[in-house]
Amino acid sequence: MTDLHFPRPPEDPQEPGSLTRWLVRDGARVRSGAPVAEVLTGGTPRTVRAPASGTLWRQGRAGERFTAGAIIGLVE
């Protein structure tokens, strides 16, 4: 399994951000590098990409706030 982490904003790595929305459903097959979620960090929208190919298991919900590096999903 490979962890999917909430990204670190370059302007302030300690500032929490929000998971805006998932782009794939829970249990979906994803390819490495494919966009899987949108987040808002430091007021900037960002796309989170799959770290590996496999099945994505979401660990966070849209609207939740996370600190940089938090696990928001798993790719199995």
Side-chain angles (χ1 to χ4, degrees):
M1 270 204 224
T2 304
D3 295 337
L4 177 65
H5 294 275
F6 195 85
R8 294 187 189 285
E11 57 279 352
D12 184 2
Q14 301 304 317
E15 183 179 336
S18 298
L19 175 58
T20 309
R21 70 181 181 126
W22 286 102
L23 302 175
V24 297
R25 63 179 171 72
D26 196 36
R29 298 276 306 154
V30 297
R31 291 184 192 257
S32 180
V36 295
E38 292 177 349
V39 300
L40 188 63
T41 61
T44 304
R46 301 182 194 282
T47 300
V48 178
R49 298 186 178 275
S53 295
T55 303
L56 175 71
W57 301 106
R58 303 186 314 192
Q59 303 294 305
R61 286 182 271 198
E64 276 189 89
R65 292 183 59 75
F66 293 93
T67 57
I71 296 172
I72 60 172
L74 302 168
V75 179
E76 181 176 50

